[in-house]
Amino acid sequence: MKQSDVTKLGGRATVRDIAAETGVSIATVSRVLNQQGNVAPQTRALVEQAVERLGVRAPSPRGGSPKPVGGAVFVRCPYVLTDYFGLIVSSIAETLDRHGRQLVLNAGQGAAGAQVLPRLPADNGLAGAILILPPESADDLVRLRSKRFPFVVVDPRTAVPRDIASVSAAHFAGARQVTSHLVGLGHTRIGVIGGPREWLASDARLSGHAAALADVGILPDPDLVRPVEPTTEHGRRAAGQLLDLPQRPTALVAFNDKAAVGALQAAAERGLSVPTDLSVAGFDDIDLSRATFPTLTTVRQPLQEMGRMAVSLLIRLLDRHELEALHIELATELVIRDSTAPPPR
């Protein structure tokens, strides 16, 4: 940051303030303030509006504005827009609107099997794309990248190549937090209702769970792990299998809050009281986690921030910035509620 940039803002705001306000990079703000080119008109207008909101007159461009680049952003979310995916998509839509970008939405389970990626680069109306938990393979993403079409992956299902931008939550750290919480309460036999084996998040969370057990010298037991689709019904079945073991676990950790609700149902079917007889924890912290009885201990994912960060990365790609960090993990937070307690004596 140059001293001239601070002076331009009259001492009342800094380049960093404007960058935080708009979600664009410090370098872009500096270029706008110094009336340089190579900035998309929508981004330039966003920065100038932020400067005006902070009480400073935006500088007038010299030599005319750069050529408009235009183009909408294609958002692919081939799932039902529930409270999980809906929060991410809504955040993306709101942030794109702030940048003056239109959104083209491809969503719903019917979109899962559609072969949409190959035709994106040929669509002159599209500037880039945001792909949420894409079912496409890494090879498909590499082919799209080879066409020089800008895109960002949110919560990648499988490992993405190093040169493809992605945003996700810190799955390993979140799983380690919740299992450490249970271990701290005295649980040593903890069942895991995991996600699908092929999902990147599933592997990261199992590793986090194992790391928390290793911290206290406990080896993970494969018999206590059930990988399933993260739904309430699959969670209920998996929890039932674990609770019917000759030596049942004293706590269950579920891949998401919906599977955790299934675990609560399985416990009730067996006459077990939560958390007196069994502790249950989820992941995500969606509204459902606060509507259960007892309320769910869970791990909060920054879903809306994931959407905002994805837009920020894409805008930088569209502005042809060099991204220093391509794979971004956003911190999770353990939320302790009523569904976890020390194990029964």
Side-chain angles (χ1 to χ4, degrees):
M1 182 176 65
K2 296 182 291 187
Q3 184 63 38
S4 60
D5 296 334
V6 179
T7 303
K8 281 179 179 290
L9 294 174
R12 283 174 285 178
T14 66
V15 170
R16 190 175 299 278
D17 295 331
I18 301 300
E21 173 78 8
T22 58
V24 304
S25 69
I26 292 175
T28 298
V29 175
S30 181
R31 280 201 291 272
V32 172
L33 293 175
N34 288 293
Q35 302 166 12
Q36 297 175 358
N38 196 27
V39 179
Q42 294 92 340
T43 304
R44 182 180 297 277
L46 185 69
V47 172
E48 292 176 350
Q49 290 167 9
V51 172
E52 290 178 349
R53 284 196 301 273
L54 293 176
V56 180
R57 183 180 179 84
S60 300
R62 292 180 297 190
S65 300
K67 183 180 179 181
V69 293
V73 172
F74 185 87
V75 176
R76 175 160 165 77
C77 183
Y79 310 95
V80 176
L81 298 183
T82 57
D83 41 10
Y84 179 89
F85 292 110
L87 285 172
I88 298 175
V89 171
S90 296
S91 177
I92 290 172
E94 292 168 0
T95 310
L96 284 174
D97 184 65
R98 291 183 61 191
H99 285 275
R101 292 277 180 178
Q102 291 185 326
L103 179 150
V104 176
L105 181 61
N106 174 252
Q109 290 181 327
Q115 299 296 317
V116 298
L117 299 193
R119 65 172 185 260
L120 294 183
D123 191 331
N124 293 328
L126 296 177
I130 296 176
L131 311 176
I132 303 171
L133 193 62
E136 288 83 7
S137 68
D139 290 341
D140 291 329
L141 298 180
V142 169
R143 279 190 285 270
L144 181 60
R145 178 72 178 87
S146 68
K147 302 293 184 182
R148 298 186 180 278
F149 183 79
F151 68 96
V152 176
V153 178
V154 177
D155 200 12
R157 183 187 294 236
T158 58
V160 295
R162 294 180 59 186
D163 61 343
I164 292 178
S166 68
V167 181
S168 65
H171 296 292
F172 175 92
R176 188 172 190 169
Q177 282 179 309
V178 70
T179 300
S180 294
H181 164 66
L182 292 170
V183 169
L185 292 172
H187 295 275
T188 57
R189 189 167 175 80
I190 302 172
V192 178
I193 304 172
R197 294 182 186 276
E198 67 274 13
W199 285 17
L200 187 63
S202 301
D203 185 59
R205 293 187 195 175
L206 280 177
S207 298
H209 171 72
L213 295 178
D215 288 340
V216 292
I218 300 175
L219 291 176
D221 186 348
D223 291 337
L224 293 179
V225 179
R226 295 292 187 279
V228 297
E229 290 294 323
T231 66
T232 299
E233 180 56 27
H234 282 91
R236 185 186 69 82
R237 294 176 186 174
Q241 295 172 7
L242 292 167
L243 295 177
D244 289 341
L245 290 173
Q247 186 181 358
R248 66 173 176 82
T250 61
L252 295 177
V253 176
F255 184 81
N256 64 2
D257 292 337
K258 292 181 180 179
V261 169
L264 292 177
Q265 294 174 353
E269 291 167 357
R270 287 157 178 79
L272 298 175
S273 174
V274 177
T276 305
D277 302 318
L278 175 74
S279 287
V280 176
F283 210 103
D284 291 344
D285 192 33
I286 58 177
D287 288 345
L288 183 64
S289 66
R290 295 178 287 279
T292 60
F293 182 80
T295 55
L296 273 175
T297 291
T298 187
V299 176
R300 179 176 298 149
Q301 288 204 71
L303 301 177
Q304 293 174 302
E305 183 60 27
M306 286 164 61
R308 287 189 288 266
M309 180 58 70
V311 174
S312 178
L313 286 176
L314 182 62
I315 293 299
R316 296 179 195 182
L317 289 174
L318 296 178
D319 286 346
R320 294 181 175 82
H321 293 167
E322 188 72 27
L323 299 183
E324 294 182 1
L326 281 170
H327 295 187
I328 295 178
E329 283 192 353
L330 300 177
T332 54
E333 178 186 356
L334 176 65
V335 181
I336 300 174
R337 296 198 179 99
D338 300 329
S339 65
T340 52
R345 294 180 180 178

